[in-house]
């Protein structure tokens, strides 16, 4: 198994910023594509951003231009820099990893998940 641990969530005012981190166990972090998903109360878990081993990135339309996903393979860590936060961004944010596949948007394509970190954006 791969263990993923998210951190960096919290309460922030609209327009503010947060940086989420996801630390992965093991020495083969670079073998995984990584992603962030989020789940708001009463809604399904939805795709936010993904980064391939090639460092090509993908974003949900609603966060494009505001969020940036990056990875540091030497530290076995993936980040989500969130700027210009909106109340609609409030959710539990989950880190996910997968070892193969070309579809980065569906939760079913990911093999491992963290426990999530709460992000709350106030008006």
């Amino acid at each position: 198994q791969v263990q993923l641990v998210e951190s960096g969530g919290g309460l922030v005012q609209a327009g503010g910023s947060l940086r989420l981190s996801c630390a992965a166990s093991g020495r083969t972090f670079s073998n995984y594509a990584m992603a962030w998903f989020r789940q708001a109360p009463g809604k399904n878990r939805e795709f936010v951003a993904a980064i391939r081993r090639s460092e090509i990135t993908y974003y949900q339309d609603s966060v494009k231009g505001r969020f940036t996903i990056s990875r540091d393979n030497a530290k076995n860590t993936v980040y989500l820099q969130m700027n210009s936060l909106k109340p609609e961004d409030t959710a539990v944010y989950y880190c996910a990893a997968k070892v193969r596949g070309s579809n980065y948007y569906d939760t079913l394509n990911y093999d491992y998940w963290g426990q999530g970190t709460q992000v709350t954006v106030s008006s």
Side-chain angles (χ1 to χ4, degrees):
Q1 294 183 339
V2 174
Q3 302 295 320
L4 304 175
V5 181
E6 302 97 334
S7 63
L11 175 65
V12 65
Q13 292 78 21
S17 298
L18 286 173
R19 189 181 74 164
L20 306 184
S21 298
C22 174
S25 65
R27 61 179 181 177
T28 58
F29 176 79
S30 62
N31 292 340
Y32 302 101
M34 304 295 297
W36 291 93
F37 290 77
R38 66 186 182 186
Q39 187 166 23
K43 295 186 176 182
N44 293 326
R45 193 169 299 186
E46 66 177 1
F47 172 80
V48 177
I51 184 165
R52 298 174 65 174
R53 287 168 282 181
S54 65
E55 299 193 353
I56 294 173
T57 57
Y58 305 85
Y59 296 96
Q60 185 199 111
D61 288 343
S62 67
V63 308
K64 189 175 180 64
R66 299 189 296 121
F67 291 9
T68 302
I69 188 170
S70 62
R71 65 192 299 160
D72 186 337
N73 291 337
K75 296 182 177 180
N76 286 358
T77 302
V78 63
Y79 304 95
L80 185 68
Q81 178 66 47
M82 304 185 294
N83 298 326
S84 301
L85 282 162
K86 304 175 181 179
E88 304 94 282
D89 297 317
T90 296
V92 177
Y93 283 70
Y94 297 91
C95 179
K98 68 186 185 77
V99 297
R100 64 164 62 94
S102 59
N103 189 326
Y104 296 89
Y105 307 101
D106 195 328
T107 59
L108 297 177
N109 293 304
Y110 288 82
D111 303 296
Y112 307 104
W113 293 86
Q115 295 299 307
T117 185
Q118 177 71 48
V119 172
T120 302
V121 184
S122 64
S123 301

